[in-house]
Amino acid sequence: MKKLINRPEDFVRESLIGMAKAHPDLLKVQFEPTFVYRAVAPVPGKVAIVSGGGSGHEPMHAGFVGLGMLDAACPGEVFTSPTPDQMLAAAKQVDGGGGILYIVKNYSGDVMNFEMATELAHAEDLRVLSILIDDDVAVKDSLYTQGRRGVGTTILAEKICGAAAEQGYDLQQIADLCRRVNLHGRSMGVALTSCTVPAKGTPTFELGANEIEMGIGIHGEPGCERMSIKSADEITEILATSIFEDVAYSRTVREWDENKGGFVDVQLTDPEWEKGDRLLAFVNGMGGTPLAELYIIYRKLAELCEQQGWQIVRNLIGSHITSLDMQGCSITLLKLDDEMIRLWDAPVKTASWRWGI
Amino acid sequence: MVTKEQILQWLQQFASAIAQNKEYLTQLDAAIGDADHGINMDRGFQKVANQLSNFAAQDISSILKSVSMTLISSVGGASGPLYGSFFLRASTAVIGKQELSNEDMVSLLQAGLDGVLQRGKAQLSDKTMIDALSPAVTTFTQIIREGKTTTEAIQQATVAAEQGMKATIPMVAKKGRASYLGDRSINRQDPGATSVYLMIQSLSEVLVESLVTSD
């Protein structure tokens, strides 16, 4: 293993210290328990948006803490969910009186830890709602699996909800908006190589020199199908087709019910897309893939969308949700409406994204 | 009777077993999960082991609760809430106790199992820690109900946990990250079921050893 690290056990901590030194105007870092929060938090009256997850996906989530996006991010160990005490401490730190929305990716660890945090927060009279992101079309059914994973749509939802919070939406409105973004977003990823977790020191899975892994998540876990390497156009076609051909996905998720004061099961189904729909197209690098290759993918994706009768009205190309040093990419398509477009374009100022200001 | 000292020894023994099997658990997890089970469990249980002497003045319920809180705040992943829920619920079953009767032990293990079931929503044969924990608890309860000793019950429970752990090998995972592999999760032993086996085995070793010394 060759990495720019000191000791594997200091990986997360030292990276966060560096971030705090680089962006004192935007964010602050707290340890024991660990969380990153907006320098000006709490913002009085504003709904606070809090997310979190394992480290190793940078810039997600800490790189998105700031104006118009996250109020706090809770980084776990590499590829390991953060713990409820982090999420609770972060919520308390950024609560400006408007309540807190947890945006949670659908991985068993993240879900369980955020559920515990939500229960603890309510026990301390904080107003917290949480919405699950599960947009990964590589997972076909939710009955025999954990359900779809939360991938590319996560940060699109964080941006859109962060802007809504800035504009004075209330907690329930933002939770509904977040759920809507999730239901309209679909993603699919591919790995050309595995990745190496610093504490382990060897690649998480073996992939032959001419093999690729289709339908991966973001933790270096194996995907749904292994195949031989193909051209960028062929790979783009496989990824895009999986998204285009995806049919109404249904699942049961648990959401906090404020009237009942506890979690309830909620049935959700993705709405169908129709010709002429407006899309945000997001080509994401997994950490070890050059930007030039992502543009080659985007070139083909744009062509395919046009052929299908979909209109790309916004795009995002770059490595925003990574898996350490993995080579590969994911495509996320989000069906937009006027409100989402307006919120997407709204000002954002974080360590990673800055526009509109 | 199971004494408070034996409970503390059990936790120490389990922490050592996790440390010794850290690489092994991580390897099992790398095959079907995300290669962190051994690392995460070891981080949490080393913390527990370091704090055991501070817990010693408390009653058994409070010790188990402190263990739970330490695990919840230091393990992360799915194992943190699951093992945290095991010890949290176990603690509520033995409130105020300084030593545990056979019935108390049954309540402790049963409550722990319920905690894991409620948090993780897994069922038998989903290829999770439940596949080792559930048969272990059922066997322990059954042997106690037959009027046998704690030592006999825990030895039988260890055999059941080991069988349950091995039975996960041919299963298709339906929970957690391994579930995304579908049929590719077959022929792999579940890391969570493996750490549960170590937990039950550690308890057995402590209880059997005390029996030998007291002879």
Side-chain angles (χ1 to χ4, degrees), chain B residues 65-104:
Chain B
K65 191 176 175 197
S66 303
V67 168
S68 162
M69 290 304 157
T70 304
L71 295 177
I72 287 170
S73 65
S74 63
V75 176
S79 321
L82 290 170
Y83 274 96
S85 298
F86 176 87
F87 285 104
L88 187 63
R89 289 289 288 275
S91 80
T92 61
V94 294
I95 286 170
K97 307 262 178 183
Q98 295 287 345
E99 54 180 16
L100 305 175
S101 67
N102 285 348
E103 276 309 313
D104 291 334

Side-chain angles (χ1 to χ4, degrees), chain A residues 80 113 146-147 213 223 254, chain B residues 36 77 119 121 176 179-180 184:
Chain A
T80 298
N113 282 286
Q146 188 66 38
E213 183 89 17
R254 274 191 283 183
Chain B
D36 64 2
R119 183 59 62 192
K121 304 265 185 259
S179 68
Y180 303 125
R184 284 206 275 170

Side-chain angles (χ1 to χ4, degrees), chain A residues 242-264:
Chain A
S242 307
I243 296 174
F244 294 156
E245 290 180 352
D246 189 51
V247 286
Y249 172 69
S250 290
R251 71 293 223 179
T252 305
V253 300
R254 274 191 283 183
E255 287 186 11
W256 187 269
D257 184 316
E258 291 202 292
N259 297 321
K260 289 191 176 159
F263 281 100
V264 293

Side-chain angles (χ1 to χ4, degrees), chain B residues 11-22 38-55 67 70-71 74-75:
Chain B
L11 296 164
Q12 180 65 56
Q13 184 86 355
F14 185 30
S16 308
I18 291 289
Q20 280 159 21
N21 290 281
K22 180 178 162 184
I39 297 165
N40 292 344
M41 289 289 284
D42 188 50
R43 185 174 52 245
F45 275 94
Q46 286 317 305
K47 213 163 177 184
V48 166
N50 291 337
Q51 292 176 348
L52 280 181
S53 54
N54 305 337
F55 299 162
V67 168
T70 304
L71 295 177
S74 63
V75 176

